[in-house]
Amino acid sequence: MTWSATARGAHQPDNTAFTQQRLPAWHPLLSAGIALPLFFCAGLAFIGLGLGLYYSSNGIKELAYDYTGDPGTGNCSVCAAAGQGRAPPPRCSCAWYFSLPELFQGPVYLYYELTNFYQNNRRYGVSRDDSQLSGLPSSLRHPVNECAPYQYSAAGLPIAPCGAIANSLFNDSFSLWHQRRPNGPYVEVPLDRTGIAWWTDYHVKFRNPPLVNGSLALAFRGTAPPPNWHRPVYELSPDPNNTGFINQDFVVWMRTAALPTFRKLYARIRQGNYSAGLPRGAYRVNITYNYPVRAFGGHKSLIFSSISWMGGKNPFLGIAYLLVGSLCILVGFVMLVVYIRYQDQNDDEEDDE
């Protein structure tokens, strides 16, 4: 036996049914009697699920208001006109008045929506430092290069949090007031701002750096806030469990959206007399207008929404299931026609023989 034959024998798999691929196998032959029922059953299942999703989505109530401030659209236009430049507009406030003729069934979620804002842009999406956001002191002082040009300040200090995503943090604020009876006083509706971020983001991905002498401000000493921020990250909230990198609004914003039109959760209404929803009556939303969107042709809106078992309002999912189900049934009928036609031809040929 030659050396090459010996080498081949040493590397040859064992002579078993598994290694030599001699295991018994089932090779299905999809005949018309099998394929056609599969197409029809799949189509009916998709249509049934699509109808359930579609009608469930239509049952969700929404109340939306575009407060971008286009000329002639309301008192927010004054604030929009004040912020025509690239710099953040000066502090400005406006209000949205609306009435509910009946109970707005809860739980009620308050969202803000932005349009024409491409958070899915590649350069924008990578402009962050996950190590810094996880609280590593070394990354706090030395941000990654992907954060440029928001890596270091003009004074040479490291920016915390660094990157374009953090620099563009949404900073409008809202408060909701309810007038229970005509000409009566407005009472503030409590907005629950806790638990609006994903659990994994808040408890795993985002952590503050270790405190220095019990102070978070000392932990961030020697860093600078992003250029568009008016205060450092450790002053985002007076609540020590909701400031710094674990601020709920900040964590929600840092989870980038896949589409240029997106919503992000601002608060939930589920406390006190409003646990069952918003009672009928007159309401006022006080808006602190800070975030400029007209410079990039965008719009911003406030949305009150209820939810169902499938989540928020999303008719696309139900429509997609209906289209796929209809396509399956259509293909099934086409295959049935083809099968019947050629089956008749085969029968005629056999009769001729």
Side-chain angles (χ1 to χ4, degrees):
M1 182 181 292
T2 62
W3 178 87
S4 59
T6 305
R8 285 198 301 272
H11 294 89
Q12 184 177 2
D14 296 335
N15 188 22
T16 64
F18 178 77
T19 57
Q20 297 298 331
Q21 300 184 9
R22 294 196 300 267
L23 291 173
W26 177 54
H27 300 282
L29 298 176
L30 294 179
S31 64
I34 297 176
L36 291 178
L38 286 178
F39 270 96
F40 288 123
C41 291
L44 292 175
F46 277 116
I47 289 177
L49 185 58
L51 288 173
L53 291 172
Y54 183 76
Y55 284 109
S56 178
S57 176
N58 283 348
I60 296 174
K61 296 179 62 176
E62 282 192 353
L63 183 64
Y65 174 68
D66 186 333
Y67 71 99
T68 306
D70 293 333
T73 59
N75 55 9
C76 289
S77 58
V78 177
C79 297
Q84 287 294 319
R86 289 184 173 272
R91 187 176 182 87
C92 185
S93 297
C94 55
W96 168 34
Y97 294 87
F98 64 94
S99 298
L100 295 177
E102 59 183 8
L103 174 69
F104 194 103
Q105 190 68 42
V108 181
Y109 288 73
L110 176 59
Y111 298 89
Y112 61 86
E113 180 179 278
L114 298 180
T115 66
N116 204 36
F117 193 112
Y118 289 82
Q119 279 197 316
N120 58 354
N121 180 276
R122 187 186 66 84
R123 290 290 301 274
Y124 180 90
V126 300
S127 185
R128 58 189 293 164
D129 188 346
D130 289 320
S131 297
Q132 185 190 69
L133 297 174
S134 65
L136 291 180
S138 58
S139 298
L140 192 66
R141 309 298 174 186
H142 305 285
V144 296
N145 294 330
E146 283 78 7
C147 286
Y150 307 107
Q151 184 181 14
Y152 293 96
S153 68
L157 296 175
I159 294 177
C162 71
I165 307 177
N167 184 59
S168 60
L169 175 67
F170 184 82
N171 59 349
D172 286 358
S173 60
F174 316 100
S175 61
L176 178 62
W177 300 76
H178 178 210
Q179 189 181 42
R180 298 179 179 177
R181 58 183 183 275
N183 301 322
Y186 278 92
V187 178
E188 186 171 8
V189 178
L191 300 179
D192 186 2
R193 307 294 314 283
T194 62
I196 60 176
W198 285 30
W199 189 94
T200 51
D201 288 347
Y202 183 74
H203 291 91
V204 179
K205 293 183 179 180
F206 291 79
R207 310 302 302 166
N208 280 326
L211 301 181
V212 175
N213 294 331
S215 172
L216 187 61
L218 293 179
F220 282 98
R221 185 172 58 182
T223 65
N228 283 349
W229 288 29
H230 300 292
R231 52 184 174 178
V233 66
Y234 53 84
E235 293 182 359
L236 288 179
S237 172
D239 182 2
N241 296 319
N242 189 39
T243 193
F245 292 155
I246 60 173
N247 176 261
Q248 296 267 352
D249 291 324
F250 174 70
V251 174
V252 168
W253 179 258
M254 293 300 291
R255 177 167 285 276
T256 54
L259 299 174
T261 297
F262 58 87
R263 298 178 182 181
K264 291 185 182 289
L265 183 60
Y266 183 81
R268 284 176 288 194
I269 302 173
R270 57 180 183 179
Q271 297 176 344
N273 297 328
Y274 304 92
S275 57
L278 295 177
R280 64 179 184 178
Y283 289 86
R284 183 186 77 232
V285 179
N286 290 341
I287 303 171
T288 302
Y289 194 110
N290 296 315
Y291 204 74
V293 294
R294 297 180 65 185
F296 57 85
H299 284 78
K300 53 185 180 178
S301 303
L302 264 178
I303 299 172
F304 291 94
S305 175
S306 59
I307 62 171
S308 69
W309 62 271
M310 59 167 288
K313 194 177 186 67
N314 182 18
F316 171 79
L317 191 59
I319 294 174
Y321 272 99
L322 289 173
L323 290 176
V324 172
S326 302
L327 184 61
C328 286
I329 292 181
L330 178 62
V331 171
F333 275 113
V334 171
M335 293 176 63
L336 179 61
V337 171
V338 172
Y339 170 72
I340 294 174
R341 178 180 178 182
Y342 283 95
Q343 182 69 19
D344 293 340
Q345 290 182 359
N346 292 336
D347 293 340
D348 292 342
E349 292 174 358
E350 291 177 358
D351 293 338
D352 293 340
E353 293 178 359

